Amino acid sequence: MENIVGYRIKSARKLKGLSLQNVADELGVSKQMVSKYENGVSIPPSSKLLSLSKLFDQKVDYFFRSFKIELGEVNFRKKSSFSAKKENSLKEQIKIKLENYLWIESVLGIDSSFNNIISNKTINSILDIEAVVLSLRNSWSIGVDPIYNIIQLLEDKEIKIIEIYDADDKFDGLATYIDNKYPVIVVNGNFPVERKRFTLLHELGHLLLQIPRCELAEEEKFCHRFASEFLLPRKMLINEFGGKRKHISFTELVSIQKKYGISIPAIIYRLVELGVLPKEYHKQFYKKINFNPSLKKTIYHSRFQTPEKSFRFKQLVYRALAQEDISMSKASSLLNKSIESIKENYALI
């Protein structure tokens, strides 16, 4: 029991980005005593656990949860300025959310095993991405049609989606495996919907693609191409825009943005990438919008109409509650909501 409590205290401390001394000052004990708590040498009395609960903004039962997971490799590759303390905080936040997710699935007897159906697809160059994406879309029975809700699609395919709302724009997203078995994608929930969709699919590329050994920058290009191809397949782009063009109208771009849920800059990039627009068009486009703030604001306006929210975990908690597999108090703890709030949203039909 002491090891579990210590593990939870250390995890919650990292989540909050606090030092041992910070916690010691709040509890009115020495830094050495907090270290003993974390290492399982000593267990805090109930009064200190209550203080820790308030400090870490966690329910008291959090400190006694025995269900633990191991994250796979987590690479915060997006922004070099992302601090180590913030990385550790996000890792702990992700672990807590995923532990709750997998625990509720185990309570409900749900087998969320995942099969990467393109694991046998060899990729020798970035040009191979198109065929791989088409194979995946066909296997998932979505052809080349626009996708209304990326999160729902991925969750239906047993990929865990975690949205983080207290991260700034230095964090885009990440992908990893839990216990070398369960795939998970974490995304910044504050993003405009088009950016969120692209990030989700970019991270899906990191999860599924068998990319040849290369530099990180090159790997990012593979995943960027994967996301672009998945959102707006070559066939549909050619159908929508025709052959080679010298110019594109704003009305055309807005129409495609609304239909496929991909940002206008990403559409421009895709058009240049596939040779519909000349190579110099991309630079001209950014030069034009960077010198015109009003146009830039209009270009980056979000227009795709979809919730792109993850509701599955919440749904599973209420399912377990309705089946009397968990108590109202446990549901409150899992969702980090008050019991009154849970009662308001809970009604048996």
Side-chain angles (χ1 to χ4, degrees), residues 4-16 18 20 34 37-39 56 62-63 92:
I4 290 297
V5 173
Y7 170 85
R8 294 297 176 196
I9 292 173
K10 186 174 184 179
S11 176
R13 177 174 63 79
K14 288 184 176 180
L15 171 63
K16 287 295 185 179
L18 300 174
L20 288 170
V34 177
Y37 290 161
E38 292 190 356
N39 292 317
F56 297 146
Y62 160 79
F63 298 103
E92 295 307 321

Side-chain angles (χ1 to χ4, degrees), residues 4 32 36 97 100 137 155 171 187 246 286 306 331:
I4 290 297
Q32 289 73 20
K36 287 181 179 180
K97 287 179 178 291
N100 289 341
R137 275 175 153 267
E155 289 189 325
F171 174 72
V187 66
K246 291 184 178 180
Y286 277 103
T306 178

Side-chain angles (χ1 to χ4, degrees), residues 36 55 98 126 138 141 169 173 186 193-194 210 217 222 225 228 237 272 332 343:
K36 287 181 179 180
L55 175 62
L98 291 173
I126 203 164
N138 287 336
S141 302
D169 61 3
V186 183
V193 65
E194 291 90 352
Q210 306 304 304
F222 276 96
R225 185 65 169 262
S228 299
L237 181 137
V272 172
S332 168
K343 288 179 178 178

Side-chain angles (χ1 to χ4, degrees), residues 69-77 91 94-95 98 114 158-162 173-186 203-204 206-208:
I69 63 167
E70 290 297 328
L71 288 179
E73 181 181 356
V74 176
N75 187 356
F76 292 87
R77 52 193 165 270
K91 285 179 184 179
I94 292 163
K95 283 176 69 174
L98 291 173
F114 175 77
E158 307 298 348
I159 297 171
K160 305 287 184 291
I161 306 298
I162 299 294
L174 61 85
T176 189
Y177 279 86
I178 312 162
D179 297 336
N180 296 313
K181 181 179 181 182
Y182 306 105
V184 57
I185 294 175
V186 183
E203 298 303 333
L204 182 66
H206 281 291
L207 276 178
L208 304 187

Side-chain angles (χ1 to χ4, degrees), residues 230-289:
F230 205 107
L231 279 173
L232 184 52
R234 174 196 288 267
K235 179 180 178 181
M236 300 313 297
L237 181 137
I238 299 301
N239 286 345
E240 298 284 1
F241 291 101
K244 290 190 175 183
R245 303 272 297 272
K246 291 184 178 180
H247 302 285
I248 295 291
S249 72
F250 178 68
T251 300
E252 289 177 275
L253 294 170
V254 169
S255 176
I256 298 304
Q257 180 187 17
K258 289 180 176 180
K259 185 175 181 179
Y260 291 90
I262 182 171
S263 70
I264 288 178
I267 297 170
I268 294 293
Y269 189 96
R270 186 97 173 105
L271 288 167
V272 172
E273 181 178 64
L274 297 183
V276 175
L277 290 174
K279 290 182 178 180
E280 61 271 16
Y281 197 97
H282 194 246
K283 289 184 178 179
Q284 293 171 2
F285 168 77
Y286 277 103
K287 185 176 181 179
K288 182 181 293 186
I289 66 173

